[in-house]
């Protein structure tokens, strides 16, 4: 089963990629998804994580079909 | 409560006038309206800013803004809220964000408006990239709000 | 800095638009504009309000508002301030007061705008008389601002 | 020498008078002016006082030619 991954802003530029579809097993966290989507790069400490459009911890479990977002600190307003 | 993302310039004062006119039931009910407009300055950190691109996370941004407004409505007695935020390419001097809160009394309107802005800046997934004379740079944090 | 008393209804959003357009040098300089509009509610202390008369002390009111704005300019880094206040006969739903503060960053604009309103309410010599269904009454105090 | 006195709002209605011109001697306070302008009525404790358009204490000295204002707590905004 697959998970949709999205990268934003400076992170997207650093990775040279705005997203990916990765295959996961039955048990995976957002951090596992990151490793799979980036080919094993370490996740920078300030990166924020969302699952299905809601903020979550990088150790949150991910289910097949989920959309996982990774992005730098937000700077709107 | 109305939340909108815009990919073209907007006039905050015209938006406020139109919003109040459309909410006819509110007239006479609210005694207080506090608003905030954030605009793009032509100078930041000592550098001339020629423009900005505002990236966002479509879907999540609207959802998070909705959550922020719902939280404010639970914390203060508000009669209405309006949030408009630009995305895309922005010129210096253009409004980036408009936040407004209507309530019976001024304390609630003032507190809610400011809290909405702080929550928006710390939680809504927007990212600013400044265009300078000699290149681009991502804004890497917010100025202190309090 | 502009301070005005008006004896006829005014449109706060139109005033803000016109003020910003007239202050051309400000565009691109300010990153923040906080505003407050106080309006006449059609209900107060459980009674229907049919109208209001705002009395003031001509000369002293303008002077005290000027002092309040000057104090704010000394306390916060402000780029501009606007205060418009009604006097005379007011109908429910009409704006009574508009206060706006422009600054580079949002903290100053938010704090100055709210402080201007609190100073105005506690020091500027205005007095409200409400017109009710069965007579008139002087408003004898302000709701809490903080 | 004379002093101009002004009353406002509910105070003006209670006194039935919006002002007066009173004669003073060389030394007088705002409170003295009040007594002379009102025919000896006690000044309510919450009354605010101005001299020449500036707030002052009721014990402030008044000079000939001054304008003295008396009014209830303000309720603008």
């Amino acid at each position: 089963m697959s998970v949709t991954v999205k990268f934003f802003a400076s992170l997207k530029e650093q990775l040279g990629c705005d997203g990916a579809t990765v295959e996961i097993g039955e048990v995976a966290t957002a951090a596992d998804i990151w490793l799979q989507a980036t080919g094993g790069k370490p996740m920078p400490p300030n990166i924020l994580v969302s699952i299905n459009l809601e903020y979550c911890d990088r150790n949150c479990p991910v289910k097949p079909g989920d959309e996982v977002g990774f992005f730098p600190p937000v700077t709107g307003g | 409560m109305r939340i909108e993302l815009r990919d073209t310039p907007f006039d905050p004062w015209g938006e406020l006038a139109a919003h109040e006119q459309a909410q006819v039931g509110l007239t006479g009910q609210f005694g207080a309206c506090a608003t905030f407009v954030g605009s793009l300055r032509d100078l930041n950190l000592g550098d001339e800013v020629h423009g900005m691109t505002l990236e966002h996370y479509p879907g999540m941004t609207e959802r998070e803004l909705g959550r922020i407004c719902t939280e404010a409505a639970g914390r203060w007695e508000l009669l209405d809220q309006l949030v408009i935020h630009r995305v895309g390419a922005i010129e210096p001097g253009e409004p980036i964000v408009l936040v407004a809160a209507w309530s019976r009394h001024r304390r609630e309107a003032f507190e809610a408006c400011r809290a909405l802005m702080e929550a928006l800046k710390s939680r809504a997934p927007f990212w600013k990239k400044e265009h300078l004379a000699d290149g681009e740079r991502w804004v890497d944090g917010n100025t202190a709000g309090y």
Side-chain angles (χ1 to χ4, degrees), chain A residues 76-77, chain B residues 9-17 33-41 54 82-86 90-102 109-110 112-114 116-118 120-121 128 143:
Chain B
F10 71 96
D11 162 22
W13 316 123
E15 294 289 341
L16 285 160
C33 174
T35 78
F36 179 83
V37 178
S39 304
L40 182 55
R41 293 165 62 228
L54 250 165
L82 174 62
V83 176
I84 301 178
H85 202 293
R86 278 294 307 279
I90 300 176
E91 302 286 319
E94 286 181 3
I96 298 170
V97 61
L98 162 66
V99 168
W102 287 264
F110 273 126
C113 182
R114 191 169 182 182
L116 283 165
M117 265 307 295
E118 294 311 310
L120 181 156
K121 288 191 80 85
K128 288 174 174 162
T143 55

Side-chain angles (χ1 to χ4, degrees), chain A:
Chain A
M1 297 274 265
S2 63
V3 162
T4 302
V5 177
K6 293 190 172 181
F7 301 116
F8 292 93
S10 56
L11 180 64
K12 175 170 70 182
E13 289 187 355
Q14 284 154 23
L15 296 172
C17 171
D18 67 2
T21 301
V22 303
E23 299 299 318
I24 59 167
E26 281 184 21
V27 180
T29 65
D32 297 331
I33 301 296
W34 165 277
L35 288 174
Q36 211 162 330
T38 63
K41 288 196 174 69
M43 200 194 309
N46 66 348
I47 290 300
L48 300 171
V49 183
S50 66
I51 298 178
N52 298 332
L53 311 181
E54 294 199 17
Y55 282 106
C56 69
D57 189 86
R58 60 183 65 190
N59 297 317
C60 277
V62 175
K63 300 181 307 300
D66 283 352
E67 174 175 307
V68 184
F70 297 100
F71 44 84
V74 302
T75 56

Side-chain angles (χ1 to χ4, degrees), chain B residues 90-144:
Chain B
I90 300 176
E91 302 286 319
E94 286 181 3
I96 298 170
V97 61
L98 162 66
V99 168
W102 287 264
S103 60
R104 285 184 187 76
H105 301 291
R106 71 192 185 288
R107 186 182 66 79
E108 288 81 352
F110 273 126
E111 292 184 2
C113 182
R114 191 169 182 182
L116 283 165
M117 265 307 295
E118 294 311 310
L120 181 156
K121 288 191 80 85
S122 67
R123 291 164 45 186
F126 292 105
W127 302 275
K128 288 174 174 162
K129 182 189 246 183
E130 292 176 335
H131 307 294
L132 310 177
D134 57 353
E136 301 179 330
R137 71 177 168 210
W138 289 97
V139 174
D140 69 353
N142 296 322
T143 55

